[in-house]
Amino acid sequence: MRLRHIEVFHAIMQAGTISGAAQLLHISQPAVTKVLQHCELQLGMALFDRVRGKLYPTPEAQRLFVEIDKLNRDLVGIRRLAANLKSGESEQVRLVATPALAMAIVPAAMTPWCKAYPNANCTLATHHTREIVSALLLGEADLALSLQDPRHPGIKAEAIASGTMVALCPLNSPEAKGEGPLGLADIRTEIVGLQSDDPLAGLLHHAGEALGQPLASRISVQTYQLARALVEAGVGMTMVDPFTAASADPTRVRVRSLSPAVPVQLYLLSAASAPLGQAARRLVKFITAAAHEHLARLPRPLP
């Protein structure tokens, strides 16, 4: 099937009529009919049964549609990528970050960057890592921040800062009164946990199971900021990334390193096929500096 055959077939399957397909494709009805007839002739089989002006797909057409729908989504993505490449400007930076990093790191980096480069433009967005990968591959973002390496062949991942998970303990909790790193086996306060599909949460659960101390949670949240806010409100204690912890309210919680230490990497993500422009590279320097400033506020992990 040719590309035009695929577009017309997909439109007819969506609209159910020749006229509806013509409207979707912005072409005439005779043009749709001609392409459909040529497609069926080339395939050597009918794709639709004609009944009183409506088209009903044959079983063969239904099977074809499953694969053609996937291909059509790819074509839409390619067109979006081409449009983004065409409209891109060299001095505009499009930054995407996971919610936790957008709140913790990005504001601290943007303030000095805006002062240093008043003629550069930047757009900011938040997504989870899966959506970030799509945005980079489609040319909808220039660079991104995540605590997860997506390990995608089209994505370049560079660790620009390293730390460890830390505990946020309410000031009136037994965990807040101890000294040194907090052992997972010593936790007594109810834990506000992260959802099981979070990569760092998975590392914490493995560490707890290895010690024979499962980290059960009655309350689970999707973002590190919400976990921090709940602890500050006195709901329980939690374990979060060091960047989120650095902005916790010291009048409400105490930050303690964990034992065993659970490593955290801050990754700079970009499309492997699209080197960063000058304005983006400038911003990376401020992001890296802000990340290290956050880490310096926290207790040092075990050597």
Side-chain angles (χ1 to χ4, degrees), residues 104-105 166 168 228 232 240-250 255 290-299:
I105 301 296
V166 296
L168 295 183
R228 185 193 68 200
E232 290 174 340
V240 297
D241 68 280
F243 308 105
T244 298
S247 54
D249 185 351
V255 180
H292 285 279
E293 288 174 5
H294 277 65
L295 293 173
R297 302 175 195 168
L298 300 174

Side-chain angles (χ1 to χ4, degrees), residues 134-148:
S134 296
L136 291 171
L137 294 176
L138 291 173
E140 296 175 343
D142 301 306
L143 68 160
L145 300 174
S146 175
L147 298 177
Q148 179 183 358

Side-chain angles (χ1 to χ4, degrees), residues 78-102:
I78 291 171
R79 292 192 181 101
R80 288 167 59 193
L81 174 57
N84 289 325
L85 291 174
K86 181 180 179 181
S87 63
E89 297 179 7
S90 59
E91 286 302 311
Q92 178 171 346
V93 181
R94 296 165 299 172
L95 171 63
V96 185
T98 57
L101 297 174

Side-chain angles (χ1 to χ4, degrees), residues 102-184:
M103 295 297 293
I105 301 296
V106 173
M110 289 303 301
T111 300
W113 184 80
C114 288
K115 291 180 180 178
Y117 304 102
N119 296 324
N121 301 310
C122 185
T123 59
L124 305 172
T126 59
H127 286 301
H128 293 291
T129 302
R130 184 180 303 172
E131 289 77 20
I132 283 175
V133 169
S134 296
L136 291 171
L137 294 176
L138 291 173
E140 296 175 343
D142 301 306
L143 68 160
L145 300 174
S146 175
L147 298 177
Q148 179 183 358
D149 180 354
R151 302 188 181 278
H152 189 288
I155 299 297
K156 178 183 177 182
E158 177 187 357
I160 60 174
S162 301
T164 61
M165 294 285 281
V166 296
L168 295 183
C169 313
L171 291 183
N172 61 354
S173 67
E175 291 81 6
K177 304 182 188 309
E179 297 298 330
L182 173 64
L184 295 181

Side-chain angles (χ1 to χ4, degrees), residues 204-229:
L204 282 169
H205 283 294
H206 289 317
E209 290 172 355
L211 295 172
Q213 183 74 20
L215 301 176
S217 302
R218 186 163 59 98
I219 299 174
S220 296
V221 299
Q222 191 175 25
T223 66
Y224 302 113
Q225 312 101 287
L226 181 53
R228 185 193 68 200

